[in-house]
Amino acid sequence: TPDIYHDKNVLSCYTYRLFTSPHQLTVSFHRSKDQLRMESTDSGSLPSSPINPSFNPGLEFTKQTVNVQVKQSTDFHGDPGDTYRVRSNPKGWVLLINNEKFESETFSTRLGSEVDERNLEALFVQLGFKVLVRRNLKKDEMRRELNSFSDLDDHLASDMAVVCICSHGLDNGKIITSDCKEIDVREDIMRKFNNEECKNLKGKPKMFIFQACRGSEKDFGIIENDREPTRSLKPTGVDAIQFKKVPTWEDMLIVYSTIPGYVAIRNHFTGAWFVQSFCKVLMEKSHNTDVRRMLDGVAWELREFQGEEGHVESCTYESLNFYKQLFFNPGLSE
């Protein structure tokens, strides 16, 4: 498995498995960064050229997943009056869409995304969810899957739902489908799960996770010890008086791998930085920690990554009337 030294001043050291007959050996090579690219972004703006195919065809690169081991809860956490109920079995359903390959060279193959897929699937299964995995969806296919998931009858007996999309992305909230078309995060994805479109999830927490770029800018960080861093409408009418209304958009928590305008970084062998951080924190903290506190921890974990060219990454999340605390309570149900 690759051992990556995040220091732009030294060569990178990578370990590979060499398959020869009759023995399998593990060997190490030192390659300069211009010879072997280990990272790319989810904007599609950088070509993927992990290695020259002519470089020793006897080498097989190995993928390295997170060793997901979710700690189990011993008690339900949170004040029932201030905590979403997540006690069903399964906790809920997860729709995991991973667009890895694209029909145009404009958007490169997302090397390492299969590692993200395995990491996220393992995490949510251990948290107590049922996971539906879909790969390389065209725009019409992606819309159909989102509609079908929104209409899923099983939501009625479950306590929450998760939509996770891994793909290339652009600014202005656009996700790229495998046929290189755009869908809108809010209109094409989140709207399908609001109180108007998805009755079976009304009043239940809905979590959206987007592993995708949100622009093309790169964050190269600052020197940590540098003192001067370089870088409502009023209700009207009869209905408003006679009937109590609730917002259409409620109980939504939206998690982004990067901040607006910036790229998200993905290692070709260990997967996206954000997904690695997300899985690590949730498997260690879900047994007793509220989800928003964990997301703050994901940001802190992500802070430790530094890329081949010196860039760093910041994740973010937002809520739409997400009124209560959320504990996953892995291992417990009623």
Side-chain angles (χ1 to χ4, degrees):
T1 54
D3 184 13
I4 304 156
Y5 296 91
H6 297 297
D7 187 339
K8 63 183 180 180
N9 296 318
V10 300
L11 295 179
S12 296
C13 175
Y14 307 102
T15 304
Y16 310 105
R17 289 180 182 173
L18 179 61
F19 292 90
T20 59
S21 181
H23 302 292
Q24 173 181 314
L25 304 175
T26 299
V27 294
S28 296
F29 294 89
H30 288 75
R31 305 278 290 174
S32 63
K33 290 180 175 59
D34 60 350
Q35 292 174 300
L36 180 61
R37 176 175 290 279
M38 297 289 290
E39 297 164 352
S40 54
T41 71
D42 277 334
S43 66
S45 59
L46 290 179
S48 292
S49 53
I51 193 168
N52 186 331
S54 63
F55 173 67
N56 200 334
L59 291 177
E60 178 177 302
F61 294 92
T62 57
K63 306 293 184 179
Q64 181 178 345
T65 59
V66 174
N67 182 22
V68 176
Q69 297 290 333
V70 173
K71 292 183 180 180
Q72 301 296 288
S73 296
T74 56
D75 297 293
F76 290 108
H77 292 273
D79 178 358
D82 188 41
T83 304
Y84 286 108
R85 175 185 171 85
V86 183
R87 302 189 178 193
S88 60
N89 185 16
K91 310 288 187 193
W93 288 79
V94 178
L95 176 61
L96 172 54
I97 298 175
N98 177 27
N99 290 333
E100 178 186 13
K101 298 179 179 179
F102 301 84
E103 294 181 359
S104 169
E105 293 182 357
T106 303
F107 296 99
S108 59
T109 298
R110 298 181 58 252
L111 299 173
S113 67
E114 71 276 22
V115 179
D116 295 335
E117 179 186 310
R118 292 199 296 268
N119 287 338
L120 290 166
E121 183 177 12
L123 175 71
F124 282 110
V125 166
Q126 292 186 38
L127 287 173
F129 290 82
K130 295 287 188 181
V131 182
L132 303 173
V133 178
R134 303 291 184 264
R135 302 181 185 93
N136 299 323
L137 299 183
K138 298 179 180 180
K139 183 173 183 176
D140 290 344
E141 295 170 336
M142 201 159 169
R143 282 178 164 173
R144 283 197 299 270
E145 288 292 343
L146 289 163
N147 287 334
S148 296
F149 190 66
S150 173
D151 294 337
L152 194 67
D153 291 335
D154 295 285
H155 289 318
L156 191 59
S158 302
D159 285 338
M160 67 173 294
V162 180
V163 175
C164 183
I165 297 179
C166 304
S167 189
H168 283 306
L170 305 174
D171 55 4
N172 299 318
K174 304 299 182 184
I175 299 292
I176 303 301
T177 57
S178 68
D179 55 350
C180 303
K181 297 180 180 179
E182 299 176 7
I183 63 169
D184 187 81
V185 165
R186 187 171 296 259
E187 293 302 316
D188 295 318
I189 301 173
M190 291 170 53
R191 179 176 290 277
K192 302 299 180 184
F193 302 92
N194 66 22
N195 288 340
E196 183 178 11
E197 299 282 343
C198 187
K199 307 294 186 183
N200 288 344
L201 287 173
K202 184 178 179 182
K204 301 177 182 180
K206 297 162 280 284
M207 190 172 183
F208 301 87
I209 303 167
F210 297 102
Q211 169 57 48
C213 284
R214 304 176 72 188
S216 58
E217 191 169 352
K218 295 180 181 179
D219 183 359
F220 290 94
I222 61 171
I223 304 301
E224 197 166 20
N225 61 356
D226 191 354
R227 293 186 178 181
E228 295 184 1
T230 56
R231 288 235 342 155
S232 136
L233 294 175
K234 296 181 179 180
T236 57
V238 176
D239 287 347
I241 299 173
Q242 293 183 348
F243 302 101
K244 182 182 184 325
K245 291 187 175 182
V246 297
T248 302
W249 300 77
E250 280 189 311
D251 310 300
M252 292 183 173
L253 187 64
I254 308 100
V255 186
Y256 297 98
S257 59
T258 189
I259 58 177
Y262 283 80
V263 299
I265 309 299
R266 176 177 23 81
N267 183 280
H268 296 169
F269 300 95
T270 59
W273 293 357
F274 166 77
V275 172
Q276 293 177 61
S277 302
F278 182 84
C279 290
K280 181 178 179 181
V281 172
L282 265 68
M283 77 181 191
E284 294 175 350
K285 301 291 186 181
S286 288
H287 67 292
N288 63 3
T289 308
D290 166 63
V291 67
R292 278 181 279 199
R293 186 69 190 94
M294 286 192 290
L295 291 175
D296 293 336
V298 172
W300 185 256
E301 181 73 21
L302 184 59
R303 187 176 185 267
E304 298 302 309
F305 284 82
Q306 182 173 323
E308 296 168 342
E309 299 175 354
H311 41 253
V312 294
E313 184 174 339
S314 301
C315 61
T316 186
Y317 65 92
E318 63 184 48
S319 61
L320 288 177
N321 296 321
F322 201 80
Y323 304 113
K324 304 177 182 181
Q325 295 186 94
L326 172 62
F327 294 88
F328 287 109
N329 302 312
L332 298 179
S333 62
E334 288 183 343

